[in-house]
Amino acid sequence: MTFPTLTRAAGALSLLLAAGCGTPHQPANLEPATRGGAYQAQYRLPEGRGDAGALLRSAAMNLERCADGAGPIANETYAAVSKLSGDIPRGLGGELLSRGDLVDLRVPQDETFTGTFVVSRDGTLKLPFIAPVPAQGRTTEQVASDIRAALVGGGFYAATPAVSLLVADFAPAHVAVAGAVFEPQPVQIGGVSGDRIDSLRQSALGASTEARNLSAAIRNAGGVRPDADLARVRLTRGGTNYVLDLRGMIAGSAADDVMLLTGDQIHVPSRHCFQDNLMRPSPISPPGISLYLSNLTQPATGNAISAIGQTVREVPYGTRFMQAVVDANCVGGARATSANRSAALFSRNPVTGVSVVIERSIEDMRARADRDDYDPYLLPGDSIACYDSGMTNLAEVGRVVGTVTAGLLVPGL
């Protein structure tokens, strides 16, 4: 082998060893994530050796940035809050009619007015021979009362007739959801697909639904963000604003889960701070988190072997970074060669839209007593990349060096 060939081989070996053994740069972020100034304080860099397990401060640091609101979300406050919030505001309670609802009208021994009718686009119920009756946002009894009056006033009956008006089927409602939710957008709630229709219920008189509740609309808009002010959720209906307290939905106590109508607008305000106690499954939380994953080399040699889907993997809402790292098969293996790995979390501040990258030594997190203080919660759309240990990197370097050297030793090169 000629001297130039040896020189090229030595240079390649040096570069590969440097790449395999070099210390990676700490990720750079626009937000001061390393000092606890990002969306959640758990993003900050671990301090010391983690012996002070009793001094967990992330939750308190998060709440320090809260704007004026109803105070920290704490379990012990829910009973008092529920008592103070009182009944659902007048005009929102009960099952109210909305555009598209199917109703069954019956007037005894009267085929002209007996039948099924749909609440029209303009919110009225149109019956033969009488003026349209307002129906949007009203109860069936209120509408039936107006029908009785119209039948008498139109000269069809001398005395007030018996009138029965029942909902035969609730139509889907089209509402708008904005503010501190993960996917602010117009949503349709309450629809039932054809393969799920219950024929017995369809033929029965009367109807009921929970699918048009406020909680369903918020969940269809991605669920509330951890910075949401649940004590001041605004519902706008017909030009009137109502303020609802939904904090009970997080704790499983009473809350103003009203039935929505087409045209309603919901706005969830923000407290501009991360509230750890909102990171739990609930009727208004995201249904789960779809994680984007990048696999490691060993011990899993491919996504199929790791049981990782083509693009994403689902984890429950409230999952933390280290739980997802375990779920992605980034932890464990032979201590001598595979244990000392690291993992990076790619996230985005949902308030500012600014991205952040957090890298953790898996073994350091495993050994720390205060690991929870630096173990961030996962948010929808997050990505995780796993990196192999230094020993695995060297083994890969050795394999590549062998391939390169073999190529350089080919006669004529």
Side-chain angles (χ1 to χ4, degrees), residues 24-398:
H25 294 291
Q26 187 67 32
N29 296 298
L30 292 178
E31 293 184 330
T34 58
R35 302 191 303 273
Y39 188 55
Q40 50 180 311
Q42 287 88 341
Y43 288 155
R44 73 190 192 280
L45 287 180
E47 303 170 2
R49 298 183 58 186
D51 296 328
L55 300 178
L56 302 179
R57 295 194 58 246
S58 288
M61 291 175 66
N62 288 326
L63 290 177
E64 286 172 0
R65 297 194 291 267
C66 286
D68 291 339
I73 304 295
N75 289 337
E76 60 269 21
T77 67
Y78 279 115
V81 167
S82 297
K83 293 175 183 176
L84 292 174
S85 64
D87 297 330
I88 293 176
R90 187 175 181 180
L92 296 183
E95 292 183 339
L96 306 181
L97 293 174
S98 181
R99 301 199 295 265
D101 287 348
L102 180 68
V103 296
D104 181 278
L105 175 63
R106 299 195 178 190
V107 181
Q109 299 179 345
D110 191 326
E111 296 182 358
T112 300
F113 295 103
T114 294
T116 54
F117 301 88
V118 175
V119 178
S120 298
R121 185 181 180 88
D122 62 1
T124 64
L125 197 62
K126 294 180 171 64
L127 306 178
F129 309 118
I130 64 175
V133 179
Q136 172 83 3
R138 307 181 72 198
T139 66
T140 53
E141 181 52 40
Q142 290 172 328
V143 176
S145 178
D146 283 1
I147 292 175
R148 295 186 193 101
L151 292 177
V152 173
F156 298 98
Y157 288 88
T160 303
V163 171
S164 170
L165 185 68
L166 299 175
V167 178
D169 186 55
F170 283 108
H174 299 265
V175 301
V177 185
V181 292
F182 281 104
E183 300 174 22
Q185 61 181 319
V187 298
Q188 176 180 295
I189 56 174
V192 179
S193 59
D195 59 346
R196 297 178 57 193
I197 291 178
D198 186 332
S199 59
L200 291 178
R201 288 183 176 274
Q202 288 292 307
S203 61
L205 290 178
S208 181
T209 182
E210 299 293 327
R212 267 181 26 186
N213 284 3
L214 174 60
S215 59
I218 292 176
R219 192 154 191 170
N220 273 267
V224 295
R225 302 192 315 235
D227 57 283
D229 185 353
L230 298 183
R232 292 171 173 79
V233 176
R234 185 176 73 243
L235 168 60
T236 302
R237 174 178 294 172
T240 301
N241 291 322
Y242 302 91
V243 177
L244 304 175
D245 187 347
L246 302 186
R247 287 178 292 179
M249 291 189 183
I250 296 295
S253 59
D256 300 335
D257 196 10
V258 301
M259 186 175 178
L260 298 182
L261 312 177
T262 290
D264 284 351
Q265 300 177 47
I266 299 98
H267 182 268
V268 181
S270 173
R271 298 190 66 199
H272 304 287
C273 66
F274 187 92
Q275 299 167 96
D276 293 60
N277 281 356
L278 294 190
M279 293 300 303
R280 64 180 68 175
S282 77
I284 55 176
S285 300
I289 295 178
S290 297
L291 278 175
Y292 296 84
L293 300 173
S294 178
N295 211 21
L296 68 164
T297 305
Q298 294 181 357
T301 57
N303 284 339
I305 298 174
S306 305
I308 295 174
Q310 180 181 4
T311 307
V312 298
R313 187 158 183 163
E314 295 283 343
V315 294
Y317 191 68
T319 297
R320 291 194 183 227
F321 173 60
M322 286 301 295
Q323 290 174 304
V325 168
V326 172
D327 186 58
N329 293 320
C330 297
V331 181
R335 288 183 182 274
T337 59
S338 303
N340 191 22
R341 302 191 186 100
S342 65
L345 169 66
F346 301 80
S347 188
R348 190 172 297 277
N349 186 326
V351 178
T352 63
V354 176
S355 64
V356 63
V357 178
I358 305 299
E359 189 166 357
R360 293 282 188 264
S361 166
I362 293 174
E363 287 304 298
D364 178 62
M365 288 290 288
R366 181 191 65 81
R368 301 183 69 90
D370 59 348
R371 63 185 69 85
D372 290 345
D373 224 9
Y374 306 98
D375 191 10
Y377 291 96
L378 300 183
L379 301 177
D382 280 358
S383 305
I384 289 180
C386 299
Y387 296 96
D388 282 304
S389 67
M391 185 64 70
T392 303
N393 292 338
L394 284 175
E396 287 294 300
V397 168

